[in-house]
Amino acid sequence: MNITIIGTGYVGLVAGACLAFVGHRVVCVDADSDKIGVLATGKPPIFEEGLESLLRKGLAGGRLHFTTELDGAIEEAELLIIAVGTPSRADGEADLTDLWSVVGRIAASACAGKLVVVKSTVPAGTCDRIEKTLRSSAASRRVVDVVHNPEFLRQGSAVQDFLRPDRIVVGCRTEEGRSKMKELYARIQAPIYACDRRSAELIKYASNAFLAMKISFANMIADLSDRLDARADEVAAGLGLDRRINPHFLQSGIGYGGSCFPKDMKALQALGRATGCELPLVDAAERINAARPRVLIDALKAALPSLHGAAITLLGLAFKPMTDDIREAPSLAVCRLLAAEGALIRAYDPLVRRYPIREADLYEDMYAAMEGSDAIVLLTEWDEFRQLDWMKARRAMRGGLIVDGRNMLSWDDMTTVSGQYGLTYWSVGRPALVQGTVGRLAPGAFDRTRAVSPVS
Ligand code: UGA
């Protein structure tokens, strides 16, 4: 099929590269000429595993093209995919400015026989309004259908998620639209779930909200585990063995971030307000998440004599591993709180090279970032932190406190490590390990006398 994708953000670009890979002829359009220039050389502007090789293959095979010429690209295609961003407005609602500007350009083009597919995350009812706009213009009146086809790509595994999805959701009105969508995805093995457009639009928000809610639920139970001297990871593992619950997205820690969950939760709350429908579970999930950075700061405060002047090393700044994206990353909130307390912040992330908080000194070497540090705080589950050389870390540090904001290190390993190197290890919803033994927890904090380990 001849496809034009409008918007080369994360979703548009991954979709473009993957659809070209499965044999379609794809033109990707973006208003940003610098970005298009770089993409045309096969270089992705974002870090995403497998993307560069697909871009290069698509370009070399002549199936993938990049342009800033929107009108020409609309004309050529039989299937138009809108993948522009829908960021949060100040009031939390999705900002559809870019989307409506693209719809305006499509409405001015001859669209007979073309299918318009909206991949952007949009509030329920948006595709109905898009169709009305297109049908009211003489040029675009004979558009085949307007389809909502949400994406469920995770950053870091977006290419795999696109090529091997759990399901493909297609919200459309006509049989012709549905059959063209089947043709689009013919070479991707996944069930196509066809439904009405408004439901498809809501499925996207509901999916993200449900996952965010699972994380906040796990964090709520982690706080309770902390009070009860239980272990949050063991509780989550036992919980996840029930197939009705499943083990995914029950990892407790510093909470969720990124460009999707926070934005979509706000948009859902705005939809609730606009329709007069209360969404208490969404509100609670948001509230629990917003309070997570404070849990880490409280732990640090309880374990260190003072945060003022304390040297704190942050390991991981990105909102999740395998990406350099720091949008709404929990590290930002932790950094701001530490800076407000007067701590000296040293930070290392394998990919993040620019960080908006000037109090944070960035290092390119993990052990250099630990030099003279009182505490290490793990904020992103990068694999290299699991392979950390604790002897080297201990030598570099001034103090001996390890705060695991992601519960990423194995309890058994850390029991050995903390005993061997005289470290105190604290993680979320698990008792502290003080020099190899389980420390006693006071409600919401450490037993200060046991949590501070002497530096040998
Ligand atoms: C999320 C969804 O998972 C995708 O399905 C969706 O398509 C995407 O948003 C989107 O709307 O575009 P993403 O934001 O890339 O994908 O990342 P996730 O893997 O979902 O992680 C989000 C955040 O939750 C991260 O900060 C992660 O560290 C955190 N998380 C995840 C936890 O704290 N605990 C968990 O158990 C899982």
Side-chain angles (χ1 to χ4, degrees):
M1 291 174 109
N2 274 338
I3 300 164
T4 283
I5 302 188
I6 307 160
T8 59
Y10 161 71
V11 168
L13 191 54
V14 171
C18 291
L19 289 172
F21 178 68
V22 298
H24 297 295
R25 183 183 177 277
V26 182
V27 177
C28 292
V29 194
D30 203 290
D32 182 341
S33 55
D34 290 343
K35 193 176 183 187
I36 288 295
V38 174
L39 281 168
T41 67
K43 279 209 178 334
I46 48 167
F47 177 83
E48 192 59 57
E49 193 149 37
L51 182 60
E52 184 160 358
S53 115
L54 287 193
L55 286 183
R56 289 187 189 278
K57 276 190 192 131
L59 287 165
R63 287 188 312 278
L64 186 59
H65 304 267
F66 292 97
T67 180
T68 53
E69 295 300 320
L70 180 57
D71 296 333
I74 292 175
E75 239 166 69
E76 274 174 37
E78 57 179 305
L79 199 142
L80 299 169
I81 297 181
I82 305 179
V84 293
T86 52
S88 287
R89 286 188 344 198
D91 60 1
E93 262 186 51
D95 184 344
L96 303 182
T97 313
D98 289 351
L99 179 106
W100 283 113
S101 130
V102 168
V103 171
R105 297 284 284 274
I106 297 175
S109 312
C111 286
K114 292 188 199 292
L115 184 71
V116 175
V117 179
V118 178
K119 269 202 186 292
S120 304
T121 301
V122 291
T126 306
C127 287
D128 287 356
R129 289 199 290 281
I130 295 175
E131 180 166 11
K132 206 166 156 202
T133 305
L134 296 180
R135 299 241 184 257
S136 65
S137 144
S140 62
R141 193 167 39 227
R142 288 176 46 232
V143 66
V144 170
D145 197 350
V146 175
V147 175
H148 187 57
N149 172 219
E151 272 311 334
F152 303 97
L153 312 178
R154 287 163 302 173
Q155 272 179 251
S157 56
V159 169
Q160 277 310 306
D161 287 347
F162 193 96
L163 295 173
R164 290 180 221 279
D166 287 348
R167 81 301 205 190
I168 296 168
V169 173
V170 170
C172 59
R173 240 177 23 82
T174 66
E175 198 43 56
E176 198 179 346
R178 195 166 310 171
S179 96
K180 274 189 185 285
M181 291 304 283
K182 274 195 185 144
E183 197 184 331
L184 177 70
Y185 288 115
R187 298 198 45 203
I188 293 183
Q189 283 199 341
I192 292 193
Y193 180 70
C195 58
D196 70 276
R197 281 194 303 227
R198 284 173 183 251
S199 302
E201 288 164 328
L202 193 51
I203 284 171
K204 168 69 191 196
Y205 282 111
S207 302
N208 274 359
F210 193 83
L211 293 172
M213 200 176 66
K214 270 188 101 172
I215 298 169
S216 282
F217 182 84
N219 282 327
M220 177 187 79
I221 294 294
D223 287 347
L224 187 61
S225 306
D226 181 56
R227 306 297 193 279
L228 298 173
D229 284 343
R231 267 182 52 186
D233 55 343
E234 303 218 308
V235 177
L239 191 63
L241 283 173
D242 185 327
R243 266 179 297 184
R244 293 168 302 176
I245 299 174
N246 93 37
H248 305 291
F249 281 72
L250 288 177
Q251 178 78 16
S252 51
I254 182 70
Y256 59 78
S259 62
C260 304
F261 285 175
K263 162 179 87 75
D264 290 350
M265 293 293 271
K266 283 192 198 93
L268 209 50
Q269 287 172 313
L271 280 173
R273 283 195 301 277
T275 54
C277 179
E278 286 189 10
L279 303 171
L281 291 175
V282 175
D283 298 339
E286 257 261 284
R287 218 172 40 244
I288 290 169
N289 197 60
R292 299 317 291 162
R294 190 38 80 192
V295 174
L296 255 64
I297 301 297
D298 286 350
L300 284 166
K301 276 185 162 176
L304 297 170
S306 165
L307 264 181
H308 191 85
I312 310 292
T313 299
L314 304 183
L315 293 186
L317 297 170
F319 85 99
K320 63 186 276 189
M322 302 304 287
T323 174
D324 58 355
D325 198 336
I326 54 163
R327 282 177 289 176
E328 303 271 344
S331 73
L332 294 165
V334 171
C335 245
R336 285 191 192 104
L337 289 169
L338 285 174
E341 295 282 349
L344 308 169
I345 309 165
R346 306 165 72 87
Y348 167 78
D349 186 285
L351 283 184
V352 176
R353 291 289 167 264
R354 274 205 307 260
Y355 201 64
I357 297 179
R358 67 180 163 77
E359 286 88 347
D361 288 330
L362 259 56
Y363 289 80
E364 290 198 9
D365 177 80
M366 167 160 63
Y367 298 98
M370 295 175 192
E371 220 42 75
S373 171
D374 293 296
I376 288 176
V377 181
L378 291 150
L379 294 178
T380 316
E381 309 103 298
W382 284 102
D383 261 350
E384 66 184 81
F385 303 155
R386 290 195 178 89
Q387 271 113 51
L388 214 141
D389 180 339
W390 288 106
M391 164 91 86
K392 236 171 138 179
R394 189 69 185 93
R395 286 206 179 118
M397 291 175 76
R398 175 170 71 184
L401 177 67
I402 314 298
V403 169
D404 183 353
R406 291 288 183 181
N407 287 3
M408 63 178 286
L409 301 177
S410 134
W411 174 265
D412 293 341
D413 289 355
M414 289 316 287
T415 304
T416 310
V417 165
S418 75
Q420 205 169 347
Y421 300 108
L423 297 166
T424 294
Y425 173 73
W426 183 88
S427 49
V428 181
R430 303 195 288 190
L433 289 167
V434 184
Q435 298 179 44
T437 56
V438 172
R440 217 165 29 83
L441 286 177
F446 289 120
D447 175 340
R448 187 185 273 260
T449 51
R450 300 202 57 185
V452 182
S453 49
V455 181
S456 52

